[in-house]
Amino acid sequence: MTLDELESAINEWLSQGATDIFLSEDQRTRVRINGEVVPVNDSTMSRQDLIRLWEACEIDPASANEIDSRYQMKNGGYIRANLYRAMGNLSAAIRPIKAIIPPLDSLGLPTDLIRHWIHRRSGLILVTGTTGSGKSTTLASALEELNESRQSHIITLEDPIEYLFQNKKSFFSQRELNSDTAKFSTALRASLRQNPDVIMIGEIRDEETAQIAVRAAMTGHLVITTVHANNPIGSLKRLLNLNVDATLLSDCLLGVFSQRLVRLYCEKCGSQSVMSAAHTSKAQATLKGCDHCFNTGFQSRKPVMSHILIDTSNKRLLEGAISDLDFQDSMTDEAQTLHQQNRIPLSEVIKLESL
Ligand SMILES: [Zn+2]
């Protein structure tokens, strides 16, 4: 396989909805589609195929063991390739760096709520959700809306960069952990001297970052960040555990939302899935699928969301009985509706409830 052939195969898989591509010598190529890793065909990659890719990324296959690399394809698109060895075999985990950011309205989320938050001039917006919950896309779409509507300086601190912003009305400083800065906390502290209006922090992981983020939100910046937790209440507890002052937090917090993705049936074979036992099975069952959906039965995913809006009564509660916060657990309701509409199996609803 030449490099051109590999690039066109990568583009083809990405256009079919693959979010990750896994290549390894003597192995079938697999892609992650709607969260599941599936083989794309029966052919295997040769060592020479992998050597070509490593060399195109300017990495010496003879000496490197694992390394992150950014690579521009001939069509102009960028991919991130983590090149590594597995039992001596050259391998690559590939993910696109996306230049096309979906409009907020296209995501199927309650956009009024998100707009109400992101058009504020200062304050803190928290987003929770696990890896692969689609929260990076939501954040990118929200920032792109600011880019199109507001003349501002937007600093992003990311690990890794997933979307490339083009400066429109706003000016972006996109900074990546490891390649542009060693630590989120150092970059965040420095960002306050870079005169931003909006700061997006990929994730708050430590006390120092949490404290500076709150201080920035208190001093005329809009701060948007993610906190690793299962639900909005959990993310607030996590911040308090990082010794963020509850009074300061309640003063600057605009809202919290959590997001998950549910898998929608494939358009081509969905009716056959609805007829099968898997549709009403509580445990995840295998669907027959078709060529159109890599035999998974699912074609795309839709975000569902729960949130806490910080109003006067929730502000008071935030400083005391945090578990009593008025928390709109709408994601399960929405998933149940999708199941009743025969668009998702019951197991997708159960998956949300079990978190
Ligand atoms: Zn299908």
Side-chain angles (χ1 to χ4, degrees), residues 42-334:
D42 288 332
S43 60
T44 59
M45 297 287 289
S46 70
R47 186 171 181 87
Q48 200 51 45
D49 293 335
L50 268 302
I51 288 175
R52 269 187 216 107
L53 176 66
W54 281 49
E55 287 176 346
C57 294
E58 297 179 352
I59 304 299
D60 178 7
S63 57
N65 283 332
E66 65 264 299
I67 191 157
D68 231 354
S69 169
R70 214 179 297 179
Y71 171 69
Q72 187 172 24
M73 295 189 288
K74 293 202 175 63
N75 69 356
Y78 283 93
I79 52 170
R80 172 184 315 287
N82 188 283
L83 307 171
Y84 62 99
R85 263 171 228 284
M87 308 224 327
N89 291 334
L90 298 179
S91 308
I94 292 173
R95 176 172 271 210
I97 303 175
K98 293 165 233 165
I100 295 171
I101 302 165
L104 204 48
D105 287 318
S106 72
L107 301 181
L109 283 168
T111 44
D112 288 354
L113 185 70
I114 297 173
R115 289 204 167 97
H116 173 72
W117 290 335
I118 60 160
H119 288 286
R120 298 284 288 268
R121 298 279 159 165
S122 71
L124 178 68
I125 303 169
L126 289 183
V127 186
T128 72
T130 50
T131 309
S133 64
K135 58 186 193 297
S136 312
T137 304
T138 305
L139 291 183
S141 301
L143 291 182
E144 181 62 7
E145 184 155 308
L146 291 182
N147 190 16
E148 286 168 356
S149 61
R150 186 165 150 186
Q151 283 164 315
S152 56
H153 181 202
I154 301 175
I155 297 181
T156 71
L157 310 176
E158 303 175 67
D159 177 28
I161 287 175
E162 293 180 48
Y163 284 91
L164 290 178
F165 292 96
Q166 305 280 344
N167 294 330
K168 292 178 182 167
K169 281 194 172 164
S170 285
F171 169 66
F172 276 82
S173 299
Q174 278 189 273
R175 307 193 65 205
E176 186 170 61
L177 202 67
N178 298 326
S179 46
D180 295 321
T181 182
K183 278 164 74 183
F184 274 148
S185 56
T186 313
L188 182 58
R189 194 180 289 283
S191 74
L192 298 176
R193 296 189 296 275
Q194 294 152 4
N195 200 3
D197 300 283
V198 181
I199 307 169
M200 195 274 273
I201 309 162
E203 190 184 341
I204 290 185
R205 295 169 184 166
D206 61 274
E207 188 170 325
E208 197 183 358
T209 309
Q211 311 247 348
I212 311 171
V214 169
R215 201 178 334 134
M218 296 285 295
T219 52
H221 307 93
L222 180 70
V223 178
I224 309 172
T225 184
T226 70
V227 175
H228 201 79
N230 278 339
N231 59 52
I233 304 255
S235 72
L236 293 174
K237 285 184 178 163
R238 171 103 180 97
L239 278 190
L240 296 174
N241 284 338
L242 292 172
N243 291 323
V244 167
D245 183 271
T247 312
L248 293 184
L249 185 60
S250 77
D251 279 347
C252 69
L253 190 64
L254 301 173
V256 193
F257 74 88
S258 68
Q259 186 180 319
R260 296 260 188 267
L261 295 170
V262 290
R263 294 180 296 169
L264 301 174
Y265 284 136
C266 167
E267 278 176 18
K268 292 259 161 71
C269 63
S271 54
Q272 159 197 311
S273 300
V274 170
M275 303 288 283
S276 74
H279 182 59
T280 49
S281 162
K282 288 194 174 183
Q284 194 176 319
T286 308
L287 298 167
K288 194 153 169 273
C290 69
D291 286 349
H292 194 64
C293 56
F294 294 102
N295 303 311
T296 60
F298 298 104
Q299 190 179 16
S300 61
R301 292 184 294 177
K302 181 191 180 310
V304 288
M305 181 177 146
S306 296
H307 73 275
I308 303 176
L309 186 64
I310 303 299
D311 54 12
T312 324
S313 72
N314 270 345
K315 256 190 203 309
R316 221 174 32 243
L317 284 167
L318 187 54
E319 293 171 43
I322 202 166
S323 305
D324 294 337
L325 287 176
D326 185 17
F327 163 42
Q328 302 293 317
D329 185 10
S330 45
M331 62 166 67
T332 309
D333 296 346
E334 200 183 338

Side-chain angles (χ1 to χ4, degrees), residues 2-17:
T2 64
L3 195 59
D4 281 355
E5 285 164 347
L6 178 61
E7 281 192 20
S8 69
I10 287 173
N11 285 317
E12 173 76 21
W13 297 323
L14 294 177
S15 72
Q16 285 178 273

Side-chain angles (χ1 to χ4, degrees), residues 13 26-30 38-45 294-295:
W13 297 323
D26 298 332
Q27 294 290 325
R28 293 161 78 189
T29 296
R30 288 170 170 81
V38 295
V40 288
N41 51 38
D42 288 332
S43 60
T44 59
M45 297 287 289
F294 294 102
N295 303 311

